[in-house]
Amino acid sequence: MNSLRFEIQAEDGEARAGVLTTRRGPIETPVFMPVGTAGTVKGIRFEELESEDLNARIILGNTYHLWLRPGIDVIKAAGGLHRFIGWERALLTDSGGFQVWSLGALRKISEEGTEFRSHVDGSLRFLSPEVSMDVQAALGSDIVMVFDECAPGAASHEETERSMQLTTRWARRSKTAFTQLQAEGADTGRVLDAAGLSGSQALFGIVQGAGHLDLRHHSLEQTVDIGFDGYAIGGLSVGEEKQVMFDVIDEIAPKMPKDAPRYLMGVGTPEDLVESVARGVDMFDCVLPTRNGRTGQAFTSRGKLNIKNAQWAQDSRPLDQSCSCSVCRRHSRSYLRHLYMSGEMLASILLTHHNLAFFLDTMRGVRQSIRSGDFPKFRREFTERLSANGE
Ligand SMILES: [Zn+2]
């Protein structure tokens, strides 16, 4: 497969800085991808995501949510997800596996796939590797994820092994269905070949195995054996201890194929990102900057700051004195607190903007420091500053 190009341009320990070239242009890595669950990154306009302030090169869409609502007929009629939502930069879609997994007792898993009730209208739905590939082709995303099964963080070895083996079989079926769909031209996001880029979608495999390192190894081996354009670590940040998460990343990330992008799914806080880059990860997504923005929590270079706290009532400083985003250039903590306490929607919008700016800017700093050979220093200073609780 050659629908993606990935070039590592600098390394510092296990950390890598490079360029991931999708059919919609180059993306510098390590990269943070804002999550656009239902075809919108909540609380922020696409113009802002594209602005110098944020300059997000790639965002995520959720197959599960878009499949249930508005449904693929609507998105196909619009000519794919890019056109439907008005976003011309790169899009990655997840497979729906994780969302279905999150439904817990409401789902029924078989060899064939997963049956569950739609949270939108209660109808009985069935998601399988073939359906997921079909939906992701209709969405026309640039990076497609295989349909996987996620074992709970605390699952036994036996239960995790069963789940991991199912994920491998589903990965094989995903690739077969994906290849077939590409050949049939089902991908709505197809772009004309240009500058050596392939116009087709790229497909990533997912390594599972919860906190069991032997199963993680086994999963990695089997996934690489099938062969994908990129490789993800899934099933972390699902309630396991932080140390378990880092044990898995420590052990697995450096052993993933060096010449392919490595994506850590659904993780995490700014410090998780920096720590995972140090272990060789290239791509991240997480709802934290947007979700926490809506609940009054700001991520800053000096730790998390809860805008509800009375201590900011008359504080004329910006959220983060080291941040140059448009919110920090213009507004004080005092004003942002006032907006939040008054239930004004602008509070969520502004906090979301700043949080995304902070995540994206952190990754910019990470990339620069890897390129200049200063990543260990960047990592140490970044971690030290975070303990200041916003002060
Ligand atoms: Zn800011």
Side-chain angles (χ1 to χ4, degrees), residues 63-190:
T63 290
Y64 167 86
H65 288 278
L66 294 163
W67 179 47
L68 295 183
R69 185 169 55 195
I72 53 174
D73 289 345
V74 171
I75 293 171
K76 267 187 186 164
L81 186 58
H82 288 90
R83 288 193 187 161
F84 180 60
I85 69 177
W87 173 258
E88 292 184 351
R89 296 184 177 184
L91 273 170
L92 179 149
T93 45
D94 67 1
S95 66
F98 182 76
Q99 266 80 25
V100 172
W101 176 78
S102 325
L103 296 171
L106 297 171
R107 76 198 193 283
K108 208 171 87 195
I109 298 171
S110 65
E111 182 66 33
E112 195 47 35
T114 309
E115 192 180 68
F116 63 97
R117 288 216 174 265
S118 157
H119 76 279
V120 175
D121 59 8
S123 63
L124 205 55
R125 307 293 292 248
F126 183 76
L127 199 52
S128 66
E130 291 74 20
V131 175
S132 175
M133 293 306 111
D134 204 36
V135 174
Q136 293 184 77
L139 295 173
S141 50
D142 307 297
I143 300 176
V144 170
M145 300 303 298
V146 297
F147 187 66
D148 62 332
E149 217 251 316
C150 178
S156 68
H157 193 276
E158 197 187 347
E159 193 189 341
T160 308
E161 181 160 29
R162 183 207 51 77
S163 164
M164 183 274 279
Q165 296 290 7
L166 182 62
T167 286
T168 299
R169 293 192 296 277
W170 283 1
R172 229 173 261 128
R173 279 168 55 191
S174 293
K175 186 171 171 184
T176 304
F178 173 86
T179 309
Q180 179 71 28
L181 287 160
Q182 297 303 308
E184 289 167 4
D187 160 26
T188 61
R190 216 164 38 251

Side-chain angles (χ1 to χ4, degrees), residues 1 67 75 94 102 209 291 303 320 356 359 361 374 382:
M1 286 190 268
W67 179 47
I75 293 171
D94 67 1
S102 325
R291 178 180 291 164
D320 185 345
L356 284 172
F359 272 64
D361 197 53
D374 288 331
F382 184 80

Side-chain angles (χ1 to χ4, degrees), residues 157-158 160-169 171-172 205-228 231-232 248 251-253 255-257:
H157 193 276
E158 197 187 347
T160 308
E161 181 160 29
R162 183 207 51 77
S163 164
M164 183 274 279
Q165 296 290 7
L166 182 62
T167 286
T168 299
R169 293 192 296 277
R172 229 173 261 128
I206 304 176
V207 175
Q208 288 287 0
H212 304 281
L213 295 181
D214 61 322
L215 297 179
R216 285 279 176 183
H217 274 292
H218 202 172
S219 177
L220 173 61
E221 239 167 70
Q222 294 178 336
T223 311
V224 171
D225 211 45
I226 300 170
F228 294 98
Y231 297 89
V248 170
E251 183 73 20
I252 298 302
K255 299 196 176 70
M256 295 166 88

Side-chain angles (χ1 to χ4, degrees), residues 53-54 299-300 318-329 336 350-351 353-358:
D53 233 19
L54 302 182
F299 289 93
T300 81
L319 282 174
D320 185 345
Q321 286 170 291
S322 319
C323 179
S324 58
C325 85
S326 56
V327 177
C328 290
R329 287 201 307 270
L336 292 167
L350 296 179
L351 286 172
H353 184 109
H354 162 78
N355 282 348
L356 284 172
F358 180 66

